[in-house]
């Protein structure tokens, strides 16, 4: 049950990652390039290892947020195309060329700067141009004619993709996604009319893929959470996801001590919990410094020997106390599952997020570097 004496660790199934990737590929079909998103250390799953798995499973592209993330993958020997989605600093421009990274470009000024660098270096850097079609974050707000003129002025760099990102993919009925698609298509039509259609057009992440919003697939999709086995629920439609994926990660922690406490005993910081009767409390070697949310104090639960055990008292920096009264045979060195499945019971990142008042993405990315990653 215990992977080898760690205080807290996550077990990541390589097979699940590969299967989830294949499930996306099968759903979208061969005409749509799948770009798994491995930003933020692959949503806490470990970017290098996950990228290796995806590359062997046939991924031709990966996407990261920053240049440093791309450089780390190159340094680990990853040879797929790498899309850098979340912009770059002036000091990082050289690295785009040196490490053969493909930037999303977010302004027409950056476009001309990169083009000048490509000319000087005689290196025809490919880039994807990102439109702000209504997300109000990164991406150019320039109109179709202005964008066309800027692209026609490009000499050395290579215009390979046109992309955008949805603000409200999970909110069916808001109309925002439809308006974003229209704005995208207005620019695309202008470029096509001038003979400048790019090789790739993309806008969809997990939700438009999973819920089969085909008009948002174009010929490239950028799933992140689906690769790790998650599909967020949506609002405003009765559609069910067509995609079948399974969580790839289980998170565990070891019991340091199990102790009997008398009725009336206060547990942990602030005395947030008072034992209503004599109880057995298990002290787990995990806390908010590991990314186990402090907001789970007195509200979370873990799985111990196939049964739920509630978190009692405050989650502290390095320790968490759970009620194991009535769960037989638990001792120091045994482990609890914080996230995952044991027999009939399970806890996923969405449950933790709901209890902690956050989102599943933040739970997964929040699992800190101190938590050992174990690959199965
Ligand atoms: C993170 C991200 C994605 C992946 O989103 P998921 O919801 O995890 O599938 C896709 N595109 C961009 C631009 C992103 O930042």
């Amino acid at each position: 049950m215990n992977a080898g004496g760690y205080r807290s660790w996550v077990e990541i199934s390589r097979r699940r990652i590969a299967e989830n990737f294949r499930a996306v590929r099968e759903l979208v079909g061969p005409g749509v390039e799948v770009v798994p998103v491995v930003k933020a250390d692959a949503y806490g799953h470990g970017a290098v290892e996950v990228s290796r798995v995806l590359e062997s499973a046939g991924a031709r592209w990966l996407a990261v947020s920053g240049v440093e993330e791309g450089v780390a993958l190159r340094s680990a020997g990853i040879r797929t195309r790498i899309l850098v989605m979340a912009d770059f600093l002036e000091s990082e421009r050289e690295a785009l060329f040196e490490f053969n990274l493909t930037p999303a470009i977010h302004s027409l000024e950056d476009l001309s700067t990169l083009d000048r660098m490509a000319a000087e270096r005689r290196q025809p850097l490919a880039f994807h141009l990102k439109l702000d079609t209504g997300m109000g974050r990164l991406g150019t707000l320039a109109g179709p004619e202005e964008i066309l003129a800027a692209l026609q002025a490009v000499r050395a760099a290579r215009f390979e993709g046109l992309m955008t990102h949805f603000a409200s993919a999970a909110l069916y009925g808001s109309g925002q996604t439809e308006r974003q698609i229209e704005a995208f298509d207005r620019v695309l039509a202008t470029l096509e009319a001038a003979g400048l259609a790019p090789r790739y057009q993309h806008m969809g992440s997990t939700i438009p893929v999973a819920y089969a919003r085909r008009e948002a697939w174009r010929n490239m999709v950028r799933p992140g959470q689906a690769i790790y086995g998650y599909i967020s629920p949506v609002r405003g439609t009765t559609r069910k996801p067509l995609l079948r994926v399974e969580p790839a990660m289980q998170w565990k922690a070891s019991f340091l001590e199990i102790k009997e406490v008398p009725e009336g005993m206060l547990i942990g910081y602030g005395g947030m919990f008072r034992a209503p009767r004599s109880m057995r409390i298990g002290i787990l070697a995990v806390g908010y410094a590991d990314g186990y949310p402090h907001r789970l104090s007195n509200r979370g639960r873990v799985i111990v020997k196939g049964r739920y055990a509630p978190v009692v008292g405050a989650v502290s920096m390095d320790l968490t106390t759970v009620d194991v009264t009535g769960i037989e045979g638990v001792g120091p060195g045994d482990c609890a599952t914080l996230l995952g499945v044991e027999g009939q019971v399970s806890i996923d990142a969405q449950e933790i997020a709901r209890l902690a008042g956050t989102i599943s993405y933040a739970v997964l990315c929040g699992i800190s570097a101190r938590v050992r990653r174990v690959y199965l």
Side-chain angles (χ1 to χ4, degrees), residues 160-331:
E160 187 187 35
L162 189 69
M163 64 187 281
T164 193
H165 191 51
F166 296 133
S168 302
L171 303 178
Y172 279 81
S174 81
Q176 193 176 7
T177 303
E178 289 78 0
R179 288 194 298 279
Q180 288 196 254
I181 293 176
E182 282 163 26
F184 183 90
D185 282 336
R186 275 196 296 280
V187 174
L188 184 61
T190 301
L191 302 186
E192 279 172 344
L196 263 187
R199 165 84 178 80
Y200 295 111
Q201 301 154 22
H202 50 113
M203 48 180 76
S205 54
T206 291
I207 287 177
V209 169
Y211 290 85
R213 193 171 208 151
R214 285 167 209 272
E215 67 275 22
W217 291 358
R218 307 302 161 113
N219 62 3
M220 185 174 253
V221 291
R222 310 183 304 257
Q225 58 165 344
I227 299 298
Y228 310 102
Y230 284 93
I231 301 171
S232 293
V234 298
R235 281 191 275 163
T237 177
T238 51
R239 279 196 219 199
K240 293 272 167 281
L242 290 188
L243 183 66
R244 287 275 161 266
V245 290
E246 297 277 348
M249 175 193 281
Q250 309 219 69
W251 185 6
K252 305 196 171 172
S254 297
F255 281 107
L256 296 164
E257 305 285 344
I258 307 288
K259 72 202 278 189
E260 308 281 342
V261 303
E263 180 185 338
M265 177 99 198
L266 298 178
I267 306 296
Y269 283 120
M272 281 174 74
F273 183 86
R274 176 189 297 271
R277 56 195 132 70
S278 70
M279 299 175 80
R280 293 178 75 225
I281 299 293
I283 297 137
L284 285 170
V286 68
Y288 60 78
D290 301 286
Y292 196 63
H294 181 260
R295 294 274 302 271
L296 294 180
S297 300
N298 263 345
R299 12 181 12 178
R301 56 184 186 176
V302 302
I303 307 170
V304 180
K305 303 214 177 280
R307 293 173 56 187
Y308 290 118
V311 172
V312 291
V315 172
S316 39
M317 189 182 286
D318 311 301
L319 301 168
T320 295
T321 35
V322 299
D323 176 10
V324 295
T325 311
I327 302 178
E328 292 308 316
V330 196

Side-chain angles (χ1 to χ4, degrees), residues 37 39 43 65 85 130 137 163 165 204-207 222-226 361:
V37 176
K39 65 188 179 192
Y43 294 42
S65 282
M85 299 191 298
K130 168 115 170 243
R137 208 179 56 180
M163 64 187 281
H165 191 51
S205 54
T206 291
I207 287 177
R222 310 183 304 257
Q225 58 165 344
Y361 298 74

